Amino acid sequence: MGLEEKLPSGIALTTVEKLAGYIRKNSLWPASFGLACCAIEMMATTTAKYDLSRFGMEVFRGSPRQADLMIVAGRLSNKMAPVLRQIYDQMSGPKWVLAMGACASTGGMFNNYAIVQGVDHIVPVDIYLPGCPPRPEMLMNAIIKLHEQISETKLGVNRAQVIREVEAAALATKPLHQINGLLA
């Protein structure tokens, strides 16, 4: 007598982790953090032509407490960096970050004291989307890639905690005079 004979029809077998990953990936609530020209392309993905709502992302949330995906679109100035971090900290977990455009990913052509050379210096980034500015189709492709990452994520893994542990381990291996220079 096989397993299919013991179970009634219509019952699907899966793990709780796979089910939670499926639910999370199909109900992302983005918090937009539009800073420059990339923000216009991000807004274009919600229009009828591109229809971001078919991925369960109809409305960009106005409150970080309602969002679990932050799309950082454009260049981040040093003055805005604490605001970005505050909004990220206010988001409920699990949370993901998408760096949209060359400026958000690496500082782009603005290699100067006023622009953060990549938002990954401020918040952990899950997906980097290159381009200047990237097209709406590219943003939708990056979101699909993020869906794949989310569905593969284990429930017990807290990405932010893992990042903090890696950073702490990296600091532990540096000489004390280098650490004091970082904190000064």
Side-chain angles (χ1 to χ4, degrees):
M1 187 173 213
L3 181 63
E4 54 278 340
E5 295 174 355
K6 293 181 183 178
L7 295 174
S9 65
I11 292 184
L13 296 176
T14 186
T15 64
V16 174
E17 289 176 347
K18 286 183 181 179
L19 180 63
Y22 176 79
I23 292 168
R24 283 181 183 149
K25 82 172 187 163
N26 289 316
S27 63
L28 284 176
W29 290 6
S32 60
F33 202 82
L35 297 165
C37 44
C38 291
I40 304 301
E41 300 294 325
M42 177 180 61
M43 288 181 242
T45 58
T46 62
T47 62
K49 182 176 180 179
Y50 301 104
D51 193 23
L52 195 60
S53 63
R54 64 186 147 162
F55 299 108
M57 300 172 62
E58 300 172 18
V59 179
F60 284 93
R61 301 298 164 184
S63 168
R65 289 178 178 83
Q66 298 173 344
D68 52 8
L69 168 64
M70 176 184 278
I71 302 174
V72 183
R75 60 188 177 271
L76 178 66
S77 67
N78 285 321
K79 210 174 217 185
M80 282 300 282
V83 175
L84 175 78
R85 184 61 199 206
Q86 181 180 13
I87 290 173
Y88 177 80
D89 289 339
Q90 290 176 352
M91 291 170 60
S92 60
K95 52 191 166 186
W96 297 273
V97 177
L98 192 151
M100 181 177 177
C103 294
S105 299
T106 63
M109 66 182 100
F110 303 102
N111 188 9
N112 60 37
Y113 67 93
I115 302 297
V116 176
Q117 300 301 303
V119 296
D120 55 355
H121 293 285
I122 310 301
V123 295
V125 175
D126 297 291
I127 296 280
Y128 294 94
L129 176 58
C132 185
R135 300 274 309 137
E137 298 93 347
M138 295 170 68
L139 176 58
M140 293 172 69
N141 185 45
I143 289 170
I144 291 169
K145 299 271 188 216
L146 182 63
H147 283 181
E148 293 169 5
Q149 282 185 11
I150 292 170
S151 64
E152 295 170 1
T153 303
K154 302 265 187 227
L155 270 180
V157 177
N158 183 346
R159 186 179 55 85
Q161 181 64 34
V162 170
I163 289 170
R164 281 193 289 272
E165 290 172 3
V166 169
E167 288 173 348
L171 280 176
T173 61
K174 290 190 176 196
L176 189 57
H177 69 277
Q178 287 182 347
I179 294 173
N180 289 335
L182 289 174
L183 298 176

